[in-house]
Every structure is written in C-alpha cells, then in structure tokens.
Amino acid sequence: YDRFYNSAKVAADAFKEISSLDWFAQGSPKAPGKIYIIIDPNCSYCHRMYDEIEPLIKANKVQVRWIPVGFLRPDSAGMSAKILSGKTDKEKVALFEQNEDKFKDAVEHGGLTPLKSDSKDKADVAAFNSVKKNTAFFSKFGFGGTPTILYKNTSGTPKFIPGFVQGEALTKLINSATKTW
C-alpha cells in the first residue's frame, strides 16, 4: 500500500480486519468518541500520545481501543505480550499504565518487565501470538510508525492518522470520530 495516495483504501481495508485483533479498551463505552491507537510500548511518541489523550479518556470524551505491537526494540514484543497477558481490560489497562508511568524518555524505553518469548506457559504463548497478529496487521497495511490512529468519522468513513496528534488537532479528531464501534 502507498499510504499517501491510497489512505482511504488503506483505512477501509484495515477496518475490515481490525475487530479481529487483540486490543484492550480504556475509557467509558458511553464516551462520544471511539478510536483505535496502535502502539509499541517502547515508542516515545506513543508515550506522549498516552499523556495527551489520558485526560480526555478520564473526562469521558473518548474511548480508546489500544492495539499493542512489537517491533521497535528486541523487548517490545515481550512488553506488549505482558500488557495483553492481563485477563480483563482493567488488568491490561493497569499494565499499560504501569508501562507509561515508568517510561524512560531519555532512553525511549517502556517501564514493564517483558514476558519471556521462550515461555511454555499457555497464556504467555497466547499473548505473544496476539502481538504477532497485531504486528502483522500493522505491517500489512504499511502504517510505518507508531502511534497510528484509526477511526471512523461521523459519516462512517474509515480514516487513519500516522503519528502523534496533540492539542486542538486531537480534540478535533475525537469530535469527528464516530460514537459507536
């Protein structure tokens, strides 16, 4: 895919598959804006995105479905697997928040201890398989970097925005996002 010339097609095709990914929701299901954000736990721009959007999540303006991938550092997949190893969205959000609260900006490194990729534990293996599936989706559509935001606008048209969005641009995006999944 050439994301600059075919962004409408990329977004539409991605939305045909996005519900099959392993994500976790943060925020009220009654929040008026609904968006997906693809993140790598070692991504400094994802960390900034989290800091920027967290107050909007807490203010019930948006619900985010976070899609963890693993490609930036050797331990990214293990950290994403650790997040996805939570049994409920609440547990996954707590692990994600721990990663973000302990994020080390100076070295661009998340704050979680990664799961070991050679684990024989069925839950760990399942979590790694989820990360592989999410990362394959990310690569397949050529998103290129994290964070990547995917959403449908109020007309139902799928959209994606590569990169960190902040301030007024983020508020505008959330206000233009659909109210339902």
Side-chain angles (χ1 to χ4, degrees):
Y1 286 96
D2 183 327
R3 65 186 181 147
F4 297 108
Y5 296 106
N6 294 315
S7 63
K9 180 168 177 27
V10 169
D13 289 348
F15 260 91
K16 290 175 186 170
E17 295 181 28
I18 203 162
S19 64
S20 72
L21 300 178
D22 291 307
W23 46 263
F24 60 95
Q26 183 180 19
S28 170
K30 294 179 181 178
K34 307 281 195 268
I35 64 175
Y36 290 90
I37 303 178
I38 301 171
I39 48 118
D40 185 296
N42 287 314
C43 168
S44 61
Y45 288 103
C46 298
H47 177 64
R48 290 184 183 104
M49 184 85 242
Y50 170 79
D51 285 346
E52 189 76 19
I53 204 164
E54 184 186 31
L56 299 170
I57 292 169
K58 288 185 175 179
N60 293 323
K61 305 242 183 241
V62 64
Q63 183 185 45
V64 176
R65 288 182 174 176
W66 299 99
I67 303 171
V69 297
F71 68 91
L72 282 176
R73 295 175 69 126
D75 62 355
S76 289
M79 294 169 90
S80 284
K82 177 74 173 184
I83 293 168
L84 290 175
S85 73
K87 291 177 181 37
T88 64
D89 278 357
K90 187 175 182 176
E91 287 180 17
K92 292 171 187 174
V93 167
L95 288 164
F96 180 53
E97 287 176 338
Q98 180 184 340
N99 184 73
E100 299 307 312
D101 291 344
K102 295 180 179 180
F103 194 89
K104 299 170 192 84
D105 272 313
V107 292
E108 293 186 276
H109 197 264
L112 277 182
T113 301
L115 291 181
K116 299 208 182 301
S117 61
D118 61 354
S119 173
K120 302 296 182 222
D121 181 85
K122 287 181 183 179
D124 292 355
V125 171
F128 271 100
N129 286 339
S130 292
V131 173
K132 286 178 191 169
K133 182 178 175 183
N134 290 353
T135 305
F137 169 87
F138 174 79
S139 297
K140 175 182 178 178
F141 291 103
F143 292 125
T146 50
T148 295
I149 301 168
L150 294 110
Y151 67 102
K152 288 184 179 178
N153 67 16
T154 52
S155 300
T157 304
K159 303 278 186 183
F160 83 88
I161 298 176
F164 170 48
V165 179
Q166 62 184 331
E168 192 175 310
L170 180 59
T171 301
K172 185 177 177 181
L173 181 155
I174 290 168
N175 290 339
S176 73
T178 186
K179 296 175 180 2
T180 61
W181 290 108

